[in-house]
């Protein structure tokens, strides 16, 4: 491992103390840097494309609090809207017009969504959507894909990517077999495998859920025809198609992957960007299906803080900022510059690598590839990624601390930030 070249005394002190207070010293596993080695840095503040740690080191950030910070951290307009909202109170637990505003924005933006329910996290959205899939079809089985993450609910903790992949936990202890016995899995981009599952489980499959562009096994785009094929297969078998757009929603296009690829699912889950940095999730879809949710219908789902005024305000302001002309062209341009640059540098410095980007989402695997699914992704040299990650960190670039996470850019990242990142990457890759 590269010697520590930055001062991290305070980070080390705080993280050491945290180990006694919270499992692994963190509130969510990947933050602990287990898969890249070395100490995590402890944040003090974030602004625009940058973060500062408690030892006052500055970094260019490509995690963006795992996706929400698409306008840049602590955008002045979001912060000022929040200040105003704060004065009126932090939670109502009752209807507010802010929910209507954000709901309308989501319905206008996302092709599949005619009605929406707000929750507090992507996990919650996915749990609820699963119940709804089963209730609507009166079937129990679902198909998910290896390496796709749909939050930490029991039913989805099968080959679940992200932190689960990072830590190499096959299935989490504490998840009863009964909870996952109706969860069928297939390799991503493998239509034949999905077809076979439908054949073997005739009239039993409620639906198929997927990340239309995978971000939780590293960045893996869908092959041409894959999403279309799933749309056809689900139609043919009377099953629902669900896009988990918690990561891709408002990120790879304003209307998400469904807009980008022109495939409309029956139901969609959202999170991350729509909360603008506050805890929000949402699920929505065809009116006929969403009308089954309580109190309009019999499918129960509720939440004390759901639709709270602060989260709605941050979401509304964030989507407003994204609506400005040129947003996605800009995001695509800088991210492509970053992704192309990283691949070129890897090649020039003699490292097998592959990767790509769509709009403000990118990935780089240390394997010659191509990567079509999680099995392919696992061929990456994760030890090398760990050294790369540490080298970048010590030179002021903060990447997601796992080979199996996508990277994110934001409207606050400038051409100069990208150029600086590439210069640092050249230095690090030359020394790997
Ligand atoms: C992050 C994520 C989730 C879980 O969302 P949380 O807000 O962390 O619970 C679900 N699905 C996908 C695709 C995600 O990226």
């Amino acid at each position: 491992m590269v010697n520590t070249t930055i001062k991290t005394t305070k980070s080390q002190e705080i993280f050491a103390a945290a180990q006694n207070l919270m499992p692994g010293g963190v509130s969510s596993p990947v933050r602990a840097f287990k898969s890249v080695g070395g100490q995590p840095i402890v944040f003090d503040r974030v602004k625009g494309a940058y973060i500062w740690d408690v030892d006052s080191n500055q970094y260019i950030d490509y995690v963006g609090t795992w996706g929400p910070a698409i306008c840049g951290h602590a955008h002045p307009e979001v912060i000022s809207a929040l200040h105003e909202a704060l004065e009126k109170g932090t939670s109502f637990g009752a209807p507010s017009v802010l929910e209507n505003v954000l709901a309308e924005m989501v319905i206008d933006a996302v092709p599949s969504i005619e009605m929406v329910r707000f929750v507090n996290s992507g996990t919650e959205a996915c749990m609820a959507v699963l119940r709804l899939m089963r209730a609507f079809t009166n079937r129990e089985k679902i198909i998910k894909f290896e390496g796709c993450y749909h939050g930490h609910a029991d039913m989805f903790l099968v080959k679940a990517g992200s932190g689960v992949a990072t830590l190499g936990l096959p299935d989490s202890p504490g998840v009863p077999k009964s909870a996952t016995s109706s969860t069928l899995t297939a390799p991503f981009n493998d239509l034949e495998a999905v077809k076979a599952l439908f054949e073997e489980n005739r009239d039993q499959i409620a639906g198929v859920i997927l990340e239309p562009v995978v971000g939780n096994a590293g960045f893996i785009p869908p092959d041409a025809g894959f999403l279309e094929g799933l749309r056809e297969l689900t139609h043919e078998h009377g099953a629902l198609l669900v896009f988990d757009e918690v990561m891709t929603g408002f990120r790879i296009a304003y209307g998400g992957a469904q807009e980008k690829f022109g495939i409309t699912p029956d139901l969609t889950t959202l999170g991350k960007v729509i909360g603008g940095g506050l805890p929000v999730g949402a699920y929505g879809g065809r009116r006929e299906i969403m009308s089954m949710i309580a109190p309009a219908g019999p499918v129960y789902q509720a939440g004390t803080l759901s639709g709270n005024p602060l989260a709605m305000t941050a979401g509304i302001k964030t989507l407003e900022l994204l609506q400005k002309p040129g947003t996605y062209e800009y995001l695509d341009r800088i991210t492509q510059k970053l992704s192309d640059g990283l691949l070129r540098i890897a090649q020039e410095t003699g490292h097998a690598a592959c990767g790509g980007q769509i709009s403000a989402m990118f990935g780089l695997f240390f394997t010659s590839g191509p990567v079509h699914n999680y099995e392919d992704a696992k061929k990456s040299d994760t030890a090398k990624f760990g050294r790369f990650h540490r080298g970048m960190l010590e030179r002021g670039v903060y990447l997601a601390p796992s080979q199996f996470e996508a990277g994110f850019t934001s409207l606050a990242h400038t051409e100069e930030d990208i150029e600086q990142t590439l210069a640092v990457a050249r230095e690090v890759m030359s020394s790997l």
Side-chain angles (χ1 to χ4, degrees):
M1 208 167 76
V2 192
N3 285 330
T4 302
T5 54
I6 51 170
K7 185 172 155 281
T8 56
T9 324
K10 282 190 191 159
S11 268
Q12 287 182 38
E13 253 173 48
I14 293 168
F15 191 65
Q19 305 271 354
N20 280 326
L21 303 171
M22 296 170 285
V26 289
S27 298
S28 190
V30 183
R31 298 178 194 175
F33 277 37
K34 290 265 192 222
S35 73
V36 289
Q39 288 272 334
I41 53 162
V42 176
F43 285 25
D44 180 54
R45 67 195 167 90
V46 292
K47 187 77 185 169
Y50 308 115
I51 55 185
W52 287 266
D53 69 14
V54 287
D55 294 284
S56 301
N57 300 301
Q58 181 182 335
Y59 307 82
I60 305 174
D61 178 27
Y62 292 102
V63 182
T65 187
W66 301 97
I70 193 166
C71 297
H73 289 292
H75 191 286
E77 287 186 41
V78 177
I79 299 292
S80 123
L82 280 172
H83 274 301
E84 224 171 277
L86 199 52
E87 292 300 322
K88 296 167 102 177
T90 57
S91 178
F92 301 159
S96 85
V97 70
L98 295 168
E99 294 165 277
N100 292 19
V101 175
L102 188 57
E104 251 176 0
M105 293 176 95
V106 169
I107 289 165
D108 285 347
V110 185
S112 65
I113 299 187
E114 294 174 358
M115 283 183 121
V116 65
R117 166 64 59 87
F118 293 112
V119 293
N120 302 295
S121 69
T123 293
E124 248 190 273
C126 293
M127 285 169 66
V129 99
L130 176 60
R131 184 176 301 145
L132 181 56
M133 286 162 81
R134 287 171 164 168
F136 183 77
T137 58
N138 206 14
R139 299 174 181 179
E140 273 198 20
K141 293 182 181 172
I142 58 152
I143 297 176
K144 78 176 280 292
F145 294 92
E146 294 163 14
C148 280
Y149 181 63
H150 305 296
H152 64 78
D154 284 358
M155 305 74 74
F156 292 121
L157 282 187
V158 188
K159 302 182 179 169
S162 189
V164 188
T166 304
L167 298 178
L169 303 176
D171 289 304
S172 172
V175 175
K177 280 200 203 97
S178 56
T180 55
S181 59
S182 298
T183 308
L184 312 173
T185 61
F188 195 74
N189 277 325
D190 188 343
L191 267 186
E192 289 307 312
V194 179
K195 220 176 263 177
L197 287 174
F198 270 113
E199 293 302 330
E200 287 157 22
N201 298 275
R202 282 210 160 262
D203 303 327
Q204 296 171 59
I205 294 176
V208 175
I209 184 166
L210 74 155
E211 296 177 63
V213 175
V214 183
N216 285 292
F219 170 81
I220 309 176
D223 289 346
F226 180 61
L227 300 177
E228 289 85 339
L230 292 178
R231 184 62 282 184
E232 279 164 27
L233 272 174
T234 44
H235 266 320
E236 191 184 316
H237 289 274
L240 297 174
L241 180 63
V242 184
F243 279 7
D244 178 353
E245 299 227 42
V246 170
M247 187 183 287
T248 53
F250 299 96
R251 176 161 287 280
I252 67 172
Y254 189 68
Q258 49 200 279
E259 176 195 312
K260 179 99 194 161
F261 294 100
I263 304 293
T264 305
D266 300 292
L267 292 164
T268 299
T269 56
L270 295 166
K272 299 191 169 116
V273 171
I274 54 155
L278 273 85
V280 182
Y283 60 101
R286 293 206 324 259
R287 184 174 301 276
E288 164 201 22
I289 309 175
M290 289 304 290
S291 299
M292 288 190 74
I293 296 292
V299 178
Y300 194 70
Q301 188 273 309
T304 302
L305 294 171
S306 295
N308 83 82
L310 291 185
M312 296 296 105
T313 297
I316 291 164
K317 193 41 89 176
T318 298
L319 297 198
E320 276 175 16
L321 290 166
L322 292 175
Q323 284 172 359
K324 291 193 179 150
T327 290
Y328 292 89
E329 290 78 3
Y330 179 77
L331 290 170
D332 198 54
R333 183 156 55 80
I334 54 159
T335 315
Q336 187 173 8
K337 178 172 173 151
L338 176 67
S339 175
D340 289 355
L342 289 172
L343 288 172
R344 192 177 59 245
I345 291 163
Q347 195 186 18
E348 286 168 10
T349 51
H351 299 290
C354 69
Q357 56 77 225
I358 300 176
S359 177
M361 183 173 168
F362 69 94
L364 177 79
F365 292 110
F366 280 111
T367 171
S368 51
V371 173
H372 292 288
N373 56 39
Y374 185 41
E375 277 307 305
D376 295 340
K378 282 195 291 190
K379 291 177 192 146
S380 300
D381 186 340
T382 53
K384 186 184 276 183
F385 178 83
R387 294 195 302 278
F388 175 65
H389 182 272
R390 182 51 52 174
M392 296 296 281
L393 187 75
E394 292 182 348
R395 289 164 183 81
V397 177
Y398 189 77
L399 299 172
S402 164
Q403 174 73 95
F404 303 113
E405 301 287 352
F408 303 121
T409 49
S410 79
L411 288 171
H413 287 77
T414 61
E415 301 269 357
E416 294 73 48
D417 290 327
I418 304 295
E419 281 153 22
Q420 194 185 333
T421 302
L422 293 175
V424 167
R426 182 174 294 281
E427 204 181 303
V428 174
M429 286 207 202
S430 303
S431 71
L432 284 184

